[in-house]
């Protein structure tokens, strides 16, 4: 046998902010490795994968938002080798894991309503939790992603103390939470 293997469908994916999976198809059983790096000179290499191993491997320890080059080097049982063309992929940005910061929380009351306003440092939805006792607090809110928040709760009792807190989640689900505070509705 003097015919080298034929590599097809060489690709990267899924790709995250710190790793990528490279994969390929081949027309016969091969040993193989992936070479990768910041240029087509590569510089990093995976361990050889043995005959019969899956045709995919992870490239860990990558940097976010960086373009990487890679190729597959394979050899069949007769020692015929082939090398794929250079391919590239770009890692994703680091995921947002920071919750919104909530500031300037203020409550304005009437005898049966409260309007609470606050700001967040990034767009977030708006939730107001309130009640006469924290374990039985109810909530109201708005789904819009904004940085200036206004939520009104109605049907409150006059001349009654309530506790409240606000929270908001950004587009990636990180949730910011204010400290608990209180207000008292005026008499009717």
């Amino acid at each position: 046998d003097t015919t080298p293997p034929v590599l097809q469908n060489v690709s990267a994916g899924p790709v995250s902010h710190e790793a990528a999976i490279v994969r390929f198809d081949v027309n016969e059983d091969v040993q193989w490795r992936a070479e990768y790096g910041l240029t087509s000179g590569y510089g990093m290499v995976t361990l050889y994968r043995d005959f019969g191993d899956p045709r995919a491997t992870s490239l860990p320890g990558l940097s976010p938002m960086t373009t990487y080059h890679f190729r597959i080097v394979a050899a069949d049982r007769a020692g015929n080798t082939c090398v794929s063309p250079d391919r590239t992929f770009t890692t994703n940005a680091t995921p947002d894991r920071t919750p919104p910061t909530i500031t300037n929380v203020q409550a304005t009351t009437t005898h049966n309503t409260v309007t609470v306003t606050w700001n967040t440092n990034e767009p977030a939805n708006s939730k107001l939790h309130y009640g006469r006792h924290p374990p039985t607090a109810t909530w109201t809110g708005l789904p819009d992603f904004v940085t200036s928040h206004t939520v009104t709760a109605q049907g409150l009792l006059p001349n009654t103390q309530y506790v409240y807190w606000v929270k908001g989640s950004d587009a990636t689900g990180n949730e910011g939470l204010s400290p608990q505070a209180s207000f008292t509705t005026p008499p009717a």
Side-chain angles (χ1 to χ4, degrees):
D1 175 12
T2 59
T3 305
V6 177
L7 299 172
Q8 298 175 322
N9 303 318
V10 176
S11 63
V15 176
S16 74
H17 66 286
E18 61 190 1
I21 303 291
V22 294
R23 62 186 76 242
F24 63 95
D25 295 324
V26 65
N27 67 331
E28 62 179 306
D29 201 20
V30 294
Q31 283 184 319
W32 64 277
R33 72 174 187 257
E35 297 177 344
Y36 62 104
L38 298 176
T39 69
S40 60
Y42 307 106
M44 296 179 271
V45 63
T46 63
L47 294 176
Y48 259 106
R49 304 293 298 233
D50 211 353
F51 295 104
D53 281 351
R55 307 292 186 246
T57 192
S58 177
L59 308 179
L62 306 179
S63 297
M65 297 180 63
T66 302
T67 299
Y68 287 88
H69 292 255
F70 74 99
R71 69 181 178 186
I72 303 297
V73 178
D76 65 15
R77 290 186 185 276
N80 302 306
T81 62
C82 66
V83 178
S84 74
D86 181 65
R87 301 271 195 262
T88 61
F89 63 87
T90 301
T91 51
N92 299 332
T94 302
D96 175 10
R97 293 189 175 114
T98 304
T101 302
I102 295 173
T103 57
N104 304 323
V105 180
Q106 298 179 342
T108 305
T109 61
T110 68
H111 71 280
N112 64 354
T113 67
V114 63
T115 298
V116 180
T117 60
W118 69 96
N119 300 105
T120 52
N121 65 329
E122 64 176 311
N125 60 19
S126 310
K127 292 182 183 173
L128 166 64
H129 292 255
Y130 63 95
R132 292 189 298 177
H133 305 287
T136 60
T138 58
W139 71 275
T140 187
L142 301 169
D144 298 332
F145 289 93
V146 296
T147 56
S148 295
H149 306 262
T150 302
V151 176
T152 300
Q154 300 179 11
L156 304 180
L157 298 173
N159 200 30
T160 303
Q161 183 177 16
Y162 289 85
V163 295
Y164 74 99
W165 60 96
V166 297
K167 62 184 179 178
S169 298
D170 64 18
T172 58
N174 302 307
E175 185 173 81
L177 179 67
S178 74
Q180 183 175 298
S182 65
F183 63 85
T184 300
T185 54

